[in-house]
Amino acid sequence: MEKYAGRHILLDMWGINSDLLTDINFITTTLRLAAIEANATILYDHYHHFGEGYGITGVLILAESHISIHTWPETDFAAVDIFLCGNCDPKDTLPVLMNHFKPKKHVTVQEYKRGEEQ
Amino acid sequence: MEKYAGRHILLDMWGINSDLLTDINFITTTLRLAAIEANATILYDHYHHFGEGYGITGVLILAESHISIHTWPETDFAAVDIFLCGNCDPKDTLPVLMNHFKPKKHVTVQEYKRGEEQ
């Protein structure tokens, strides 16, 4: 029996082509592919584009929690959160995210157990 | 000049009255109050209730990033994320969240800088 509510990955990626970071169709599709790859159930998504040349912020609401993204095209940076509970593993989303965003500089992946019993 | 994109708090709270954790009006209002307290600009919110007696999952999309919540009434637990960029400080949301959810067991607050330049 699991002793925590879910696993949460904070993924920071640098060196992404800035055109991708302002492309709402690309981002929407990539996050959906990531959720599917982790066998998560998509309930809803919503994205906000701050205007041409500016970043995108959005979230994919899942039966197993969420995937969120915030992009900074001016610094080729994206911050993605993958919080999954149940039998889904957020690590399963990483190959899809890396293959699509193709960060050319450093990437940080920090994983936390949320709601760990103490 | 800041050398990171934003600050992200992972807030895990135990020992919350389970009635609150299934009350979508309470949760919607509390997260909005928290955003206002941090001087964040609310763009959109969306919540999903998994059914009577079950948890709620949702997100408040902000001009400065997001606040998300996932509740587990069966274990009196809620996981809240507060990710704020710009001049907003996610710590400013904590008094509102604690005063409303009133967790009676332990609470963990972990803060991370997202997109820190390396």
Side-chain angles (χ1 to χ4, degrees):
Chain A
M1 184 183 163
E2 66 180 21
K3 292 291 186 188
Y4 52 93
R7 281 177 283 185
H8 190 158
I9 285 179
L10 308 184
L11 170 65
D12 284 1
M13 297 181 287
W14 294 88
I16 299 168
N17 180 331
S18 62
D19 289 344
L20 298 179
L21 298 179
T22 61
D23 183 340
I24 202 161
N25 289 327
F26 165 79
I27 288 176
T28 308
T29 305
T30 300
L31 264 57
R32 286 188 161 250
L33 286 171
I36 291 165
E37 197 66 24
N39 293 312
T41 304
I42 296 168
L43 297 175
Y44 186 79
D45 59 7
H46 182 80
Y47 292 86
H48 181 83
H49 196 165
F50 289 95
E52 197 176 332
Y54 289 93
I56 288 167
T57 204
V59 70
L60 189 57
I61 300 282
L62 306 168
E64 298 83 5
S65 295
H66 75 263
I67 303 177
S68 68
I69 186 164
H70 306 286
T71 74
W72 280 261
E74 63 274 30
T75 51
D76 302 335
F77 172 71
V80 180
D81 285 28
I82 311 107
F83 183 178
L84 295 177
C85 62
N87 293 322
C88 297
D89 185 343
K91 281 196 293 293
D92 291 342
T93 66
L94 297 179
V96 172
L97 294 168
M98 300 298 280
N99 287 338
H100 284 71
F101 285 103
K102 297 188 187 348
K104 295 196 168 44
K105 292 186 182 174
H106 55 270
V107 170
T108 62
V109 178
Q110 299 179 89
E111 183 174 331
Y112 304 94
K113 288 179 180 164
R114 301 296 300 269
E116 196 163 21
E117 289 185 15
Q118 290 177 12
Chain B
M1 184 183 162
E2 66 179 19
K3 293 290 187 189
Y4 51 94
R7 283 177 282 185
H8 190 157
I9 285 180
L10 308 184
L11 170 64
D12 284 1
M13 297 181 287
W14 293 90
I16 300 168
N17 180 331
S18 62
D19 289 344
L20 299 179
L21 297 179
T22 60
D23 183 340
I24 201 161
N25 289 327
F26 165 78
I27 287 177
T28 306
T29 305
T30 301
L31 264 58
R32 285 186 161 253
L33 287 171
I36 291 164
E37 197 65 25
N39 293 314
T41 304
I42 297 168
L43 297 176
Y44 186 81
D45 60 4
H46 181 81
Y47 292 86
H48 180 84
H49 198 164
F50 290 95
E52 196 176 334
Y54 289 94
I56 288 168
T57 203
V59 70
L60 190 56
I61 300 281
L62 305 168
E64 298 82 5
S65 292
H66 75 263
I67 302 178
S68 67
I69 187 163
H70 306 286
T71 74
W72 279 261
E74 63 273 30
T75 51
D76 301 335
F77 172 72
V80 180
D81 284 29
I82 312 109
F83 183 177
L84 296 177
C85 62
N87 292 323
C88 297
D89 186 343
K91 281 197 291 293
D92 290 342
T93 67
L94 297 178
V96 172
L97 294 169
M98 300 298 281
N99 287 339
H100 284 71
F101 284 104
K102 297 187 189 344
K104 295 197 170 43
K105 292 187 183 172
H106 55 271
V107 171
T108 63
V109 178
Q110 300 178 91
E111 181 174 332
Y112 304 95
K113 288 178 179 162
R114 300 297 299 269
E116 196 163 20
E117 288 185 16
Q118 289 178 13

